[in-house]
Amino acid sequence: MNRLIIIAALLLACLLTTQYVLNNRRESQRKLTSSLRQLPDNSGHKTSSIRQLRLAFGDTIYQYAFTDTWRYPAYHNAFVHADLMKRFIEGVLESDGTIVETDRFRASYYGIDTPNMLV
């Protein structure tokens, strides 16, 4: 009887230790991937030098092109509001960095509950 209790206690200790190690590993990985990362040096990029913008939301891709004005070629070469596109590009180029979050339940905290955007 004592041997069974000792084996059960050792098994419980082993399971609790494994759970602790796995939780710490997952938390350290989450902290690494959820950190604020600096964007590459933007000193050479200016809003006026950007001629094409590609946004990917999962499987959906939006591609904008600048010729004489901003257009969305996939929809009958539709016009895009140049001032809004300029503000968007300036916001991307002047931002401090990116936030990478792998936990989809925390996405609303960053305001990205819809699929992530790639620029």
Side-chain angles (χ1 to χ4, degrees), residues 51 65-72 77-83:
R51 295 288 178 230
F66 182 82
T67 51
D68 53 339
T69 185
W70 281 101
R71 294 181 179 266
Y72 181 59
N77 211 19
F79 287 101
V80 178
H81 289 283
D83 56 337

Side-chain angles (χ1 to χ4, degrees), residues 23 38 55 57 77 88 90 109 112-113:
N23 282 342
Q38 294 295 321
L55 304 174
F57 295 95
N77 211 19
F88 177 77
E90 284 174 351
Y109 176 79
I112 55 172
D113 354 23

Side-chain angles (χ1 to χ4, degrees), residues 5-6 14 18 20 25-26 29 39-40 52 58 61 67 71 73 76-78 82 84-85 90 94 96 101 113 118:
I5 293 174
I6 291 173
C14 181
T18 303
Y20 177 77
R25 188 177 297 166
R26 185 183 70 215
Q29 183 66 24
L39 288 173
Q52 188 172 2
I61 296 173
T67 51
R71 294 181 179 266
H76 307 291
N77 211 19
L84 296 177
M85 185 61 79
E90 284 174 351
E94 295 171 3
D96 291 331
E101 178 62 66
D113 354 23
L118 302 173

Side-chain angles (χ1 to χ4, degrees), residues 5-100:
I5 293 174
I6 291 173
I7 291 173
L10 287 173
L11 183 62
L12 179 64
C14 181
L15 289 174
L16 289 175
T17 303
T18 303
Q19 180 184 8
Y20 177 77
V21 168
L22 290 175
N23 282 342
N24 279 345
R25 188 177 297 166
R26 185 183 70 215
E27 184 66 19
S28 65
Q29 183 66 24
R30 188 190 68 77
K31 285 181 182 177
L32 176 67
T33 59
S34 299
S35 60
L36 181 68
R37 300 177 186 193
Q38 294 295 321
L39 288 173
D41 185 24
N42 290 333
S43 60
H45 300 293
K46 297 188 178 181
T47 307
S48 59
S49 68
I50 306 294
R51 295 288 178 230
Q52 188 172 2
L53 180 68
R54 182 176 180 261
L55 304 174
F57 295 95
D59 293 337
T60 308
I61 296 173
Y62 300 95
Q63 192 157 342
Y64 300 91
F66 182 82
T67 51
D68 53 339
T69 185
W70 281 101
R71 294 181 179 266
Y72 181 59
Y75 187 72
H76 307 291
N77 211 19
F79 287 101
V80 178
H81 289 283
D83 56 337
L84 296 177
M85 185 61 79
K86 180 181 176 187
R87 277 194 291 173
F88 177 77
I89 294 172
E90 284 174 351
V92 170
L93 292 179
E94 295 171 3
S95 64
D96 291 331
T98 60
I99 297 174
V100 179

